[in-house]
Amino acid sequence: MTASLERPSALSANEGVDALASLLRGRRLVVLTGAGCSTESGIPDYRGPGTRARARNPIQHREFLSRPEVRARYWARSLLGWPRFSSARPNAAHASLAALERQGHVSGLITQNVDRLHHSAGSERVIELHGALARVRCLDCDAIESRAELQERLLALNPGFSERAAELLPDGDAELPLEAVRAFQVAACTRCGGTLKPDVVFFGDNVPPPTVQAAFAMLEQCDALLVVGSSLAIYSGFRFLQRAVDRHMPIGLVNIGECRGEELVDVRVEARAGEVLPRLAAALAGG
């Protein structure tokens, strides 16, 4: 771990691959990924260079639970955003992390993403801190429904609504004016008629303690941390950097733009994950 608390110089992709390979070679590696790992699959992030300038108010957990109009707004936006979100495919970064796991370099992967792209790429030991948009859970009876099945029900309840043009947003929904959702019909649980919620952690909610414990256990079994595509702005991810620092683990970072706690890492590479990770996988395999 770097002894200085000064911000480490950002390395280019060319310099960074060699530095990361030297830092991580021969170590049991845990990877923490954020939205920047999926932007090359067409899924926007919250804090990347292209989105920081545009302020938006994501759905808040407490408001979703307490206000029917907020739930209607979420599901209306989700109806439009889901087709593009669900059609996203893994990019070179996802594929490289799966390859690193198969090669025995990556022992586990902790992701802040809800897109399931790590699974699609073939990663097996994955902990989803914030859940997955592919599942929907009833808040009353705890029944699980697939998001794809719910999409069909939402379309049937709101004929013609899917023809609206809308911009895809980071959490699988889309931008809509408030007046467009006033008449939107929200689907209920097919088992009990209760309230449905995507099986993800909204802003203002907490990651379930068993998930946090499992992620910490995964980190404890490893001896190096690689952060990919995360600004670590929220504590749900930053805590793992803190734990790695406490354990004096070597830490690598691949991200575009500023990152919370970047002064604590040993190697910082400012480049696209899809550019760096395939070359890192090749370097570690060759080593």
Side-chain angles (χ1 to χ4, degrees):
M1 225 292 297
T2 183
S4 173
L5 291 184
E6 295 180 0
R7 188 184 190 200
S9 298
L11 301 178
S12 66
N14 290 336
E15 301 169 312
V17 169
D18 291 338
L20 285 174
S22 297
L23 180 73
L24 303 175
R25 185 174 286 116
R27 302 182 186 275
R28 294 168 298 171
L29 179 61
V30 61
V31 181
L32 172 65
T33 67
C37 194
S38 294
T39 52
E40 292 170 74
S41 293
I43 298 177
D45 59 8
Y46 277 106
R47 301 175 182 86
T51 53
R52 284 192 182 117
R54 294 183 302 162
R56 70 173 294 261
N57 296 313
I59 295 292
Q60 299 291 321
H61 176 72
R62 183 176 298 179
E63 290 187 343
F64 185 92
L65 297 185
S66 63
R67 297 173 57 189
E69 69 274 18
V70 172
R71 294 195 290 273
R73 178 165 61 95
Y74 173 81
W75 287 119
R77 289 163 29 170
S78 179
L79 182 150
L80 297 179
W82 174 251
R84 283 184 58 197
F85 184 88
S86 61
S87 65
R89 294 295 176 260
N91 61 53
H94 299 107
S96 299
L97 290 173
L100 285 166
E101 182 180 357
R102 290 193 299 271
Q103 295 165 6
H105 298 293
V106 168
S107 297
L109 195 154
I110 304 166
T111 185
Q112 298 172 282
N113 299 337
V114 296
D115 51 39
R116 281 279 162 102
L117 292 181
H118 287 301
H119 293 82
S120 298
S123 292
E124 295 185 359
R125 198 175 180 209
V126 181
I127 294 176
E128 297 170 312
L129 285 178
H130 299 157
L133 278 178
R135 297 187 304 263
V136 178
R137 184 181 299 273
C138 177
L139 297 177
D140 296 281
C141 73
D142 213 37
I144 296 291
E145 181 178 2
S146 80
R147 179 62 185 80
E149 292 174 353
L150 178 61
Q151 181 75 357
E152 297 304 314
R153 297 204 288 126
L154 289 172
L155 289 169
L157 287 170
N158 300 277
F161 198 88
S162 62
E163 298 172 8
R164 295 173 180 269
E167 178 187 2
L168 181 67
L169 296 178
D171 40 15
D173 61 4
E175 195 66 73
L176 277 177
L178 288 177
E179 59 269 19
V181 304
R182 288 199 176 101
F184 188 84
Q185 298 297 305
V186 176
C189 174
T190 57
R191 178 190 291 178
C192 73
T195 299
L196 295 177
K197 176 183 174 293
D199 198 18
V200 298
V201 177
F202 279 144
F203 283 82
D205 193 10
N206 295 314
V207 178
T211 303
V212 176
Q213 293 163 10
F216 274 132
M218 178 179 283
L219 185 143
E220 296 288 344
Q221 294 167 5
C222 298
D223 47 28
L225 171 67
L226 176 63
V227 179
V228 178
S230 177
S231 67
L232 299 181
I234 58 175
Y235 183 68
S236 69
F238 182 69
R239 65 180 119 199
F240 299 106
L241 176 67
Q242 289 181 311
R243 179 65 62 89
V245 170
D246 291 342
R247 296 188 67 237
H248 305 287
M249 296 170 66
I251 303 170
L253 168 67
V254 179
N255 191 54
I256 295 178
E258 294 183 1
C259 176
R260 180 183 182 187
E262 61 187 19
E263 71 279 0
L264 303 173
V265 311
D266 296 285
V267 175
R268 180 171 74 93
V269 183
E270 187 152 5
R272 293 183 295 106
E275 181 182 5
V276 174
L277 294 186
R279 296 165 64 181
L280 175 63
L284 292 178

